[in-house]
Amino acid sequence: MSTSIEVRNPATGERIQEVNVQTTEEIQTAIEKGHKEFKKWSKINAHERSRLLQEWSQRIQENKEEIAKVMTMENGKPLSESLGEVNYATSYIDWYAGEALRVYGRTVPAAAESKRIVISRQPIGLVAAITPWNFPAAMMTRKAAPALAAGCTFIVKPAEDTPLTTMTLVKLAHEAGIPKDAIQYVNGKGSVVGPLFTESKLIRKITFTGSTPVGKSLIKGSADTVKHVTMELGGHAPLIIAEDADIDLAVNQTIFSKYRNAGQTCVCVNRILVHESVEDEFAEKFTKAVAKLSVGNGLDEGTDIGPIINEKGFDKVVAQVNDAIEKGAEVLTGNEYVVDREKGYYFIHPTVLRNVDASMEIMQEETFGPVAPITSFKTLEEAIEIANNTPYGLAAYFFTENYKTGMYLHDHLDFGIIGWNDGAPSAAHAPFGGMKDSGLGREGGTEGIEPYLETKYLSVGNLLD
Ligand code: NAP
């Protein structure tokens, strides 16, 4: 196993920093330390845990420019998006600093006068997290904050492409006063660290954000030790534009949802379904707006679209575009690339495709790139049929000014997150997560702390009348 990771800037291919990879023994030691610390951290009262989380959030905010710069350098997203992500990341810490104070139990009337039934919640134990490169700050705090708030200890393995943001956040957590062994990171290959986490009896929960195949392997790996799992996996979001939609709003929101982070988000619009009566208008306005987006280094002011994270991601997007064109899709804009395989950078100009159909890969698989395929529908039933015809069920969007159409679409779409006239539904105070192959469990909102708690009940008998 390699002893270090070279972190590279995906906009230039240049090496930014080399970070140590922990050995198997070091990872086992970290797990043991996290397990041992649990006994202490779980006994610290909730008000103090809440205070430490607030302190962590504040330190991140104080260092936000520097963190955002590191994030843009290792991930490629425009600096303004990195700053937005730092705020999004601390919003989870702030929310769970509050939720730490609201982990309530209850009493239940017993069937016998001489009994009392008392229900309480206790933290689950040491939690291990594996996070992706596309949101290196927020995907980590969305897990760490509820875990620490509940009284669990936490250990995270960030993606190899983007370990630096996570390392900075953990350092700031320690500076804020959270004990060193209560929140730790380890670096290494997912295929090596994953089994060490799943096979460990000391780890009581795995929380993962990443691709569906890896998520499935972690669920299987967790079976032998009967671990709790939370899985935030892939998506294939449909966006439906009804005949009475506000087209200008739909254009604006679709651009945000599709092209943010160069299309590399799990809730990115992946399929645009437009009612046939407004397809021409939408396609024309949307294409005009997309053609104005500027591609470049995320550190340069005015950049809207940064690079694709790596060669594998680039090849996947290009293969989907070529497949669609071969099968009859029309390119309305884009389909241009700035690539240097030797240096290691890969840019894709924002692309819009029309006349796509279900035979094309892009309508079946997550794209993870700045490509928007447009297809049309005649009836709402047809739109719902196309939208639900996927193993994924993370996010869906629709645009309509009619409340009956809106509620009908909401009721029939099999997705965990739905945006109605809203291309940016994610929020720390709402439960984020998917159905079907998109995952198990929810992160955010009051729901997001539940997976870190065990329920215990006490039945007291033989009491005096
Ligand atoms: P990925 O390949 O699954 O990687 C994600 C993380 O898993 C990385 O830390 C990776 O480590 C690790 N990993 C890889 N192979 C592993 C294995 N065999 N065992 C354990 N861990 C392993 O996913 P990605 O391509 O980087 O990320 C994009 C995916 O994440 C997309 O499918 C996207 O939809 C999904 N995502 C979902 C959400 C959500 O909330 N639902 C949010 C963001 C992203 P290495 O870096 O070492 O490979």
Side-chain angles (χ1 to χ4, degrees), residues 130-134 139 142 157-160 188-191 194 208-211 214 218 232-235 266 366 368 394 432:
I130 299 179
T131 52
W133 48 267
N134 63 342
M139 297 303 99
R142 196 157 87 175
K157 186 214 91 68
E160 282 179 289
K189 264 207 151 337
S191 53
F208 173 71
T209 297
S211 61
V214 172
L218 290 169
E232 294 288 356
L233 309 178
C266 54
E366 192 177 34
F368 246 55
L394 187 57
F432 186 107

Side-chain angles (χ1 to χ4, degrees), residues 227-363:
K227 279 187 188 30
H228 295 251
V229 291
T230 293
M231 294 286 145
E232 294 288 356
L233 309 178
H236 189 36
L239 182 144
I240 298 171
I241 298 172
E243 56 190 318
D244 59 8
D246 176 336
I247 298 297
D248 292 329
L249 175 73
V251 166
N252 178 287
Q253 294 292 300
T254 307
I255 287 190
F256 176 81
S257 176
K258 175 70 253 184
Y259 293 105
R260 170 169 76 112
N261 205 6
Q264 303 170 109
T265 87
C266 54
V267 291
C268 257
V269 172
N270 225 56
R271 300 169 285 157
I272 302 176
L273 322 177
V274 194
H275 189 268
E276 58 179 4
S277 64
V278 289
E279 191 192 0
D280 286 342
E281 182 189 355
F282 175 79
E284 193 187 314
K285 287 182 169 171
F286 183 64
T287 305
K288 214 167 149 189
V290 171
K292 288 189 189 143
L293 298 174
S294 72
V295 179
N297 188 326
L299 290 178
D300 296 340
E301 211 166 303
T303 294
D304 299 304
I305 312 273
I308 296 297
I309 188 75
N310 54 33
E311 186 171 34
K312 191 171 148 223
F314 172 79
D315 287 342
K316 181 182 172 196
V317 179
V318 175
Q320 284 195 2
V321 172
N322 290 342
D323 169 77
I325 293 171
E326 271 164 31
K327 290 175 180 161
E330 180 191 351
V331 178
L332 297 185
T333 186
N335 193 27
E336 288 168 34
Y337 309 103
V338 179
V339 177
D340 189 327
R341 286 187 190 265
E342 204 130 293
K343 288 196 170 126
Y345 59 76
Y346 309 87
F347 291 89
I348 300 178
H349 276 261
T351 300
V352 180
L353 302 175
R354 199 171 168 178
N355 299 332
V356 296
D357 63 42
S359 72
M360 301 171 187
E361 273 171 32
I362 202 157
M363 290 298 277

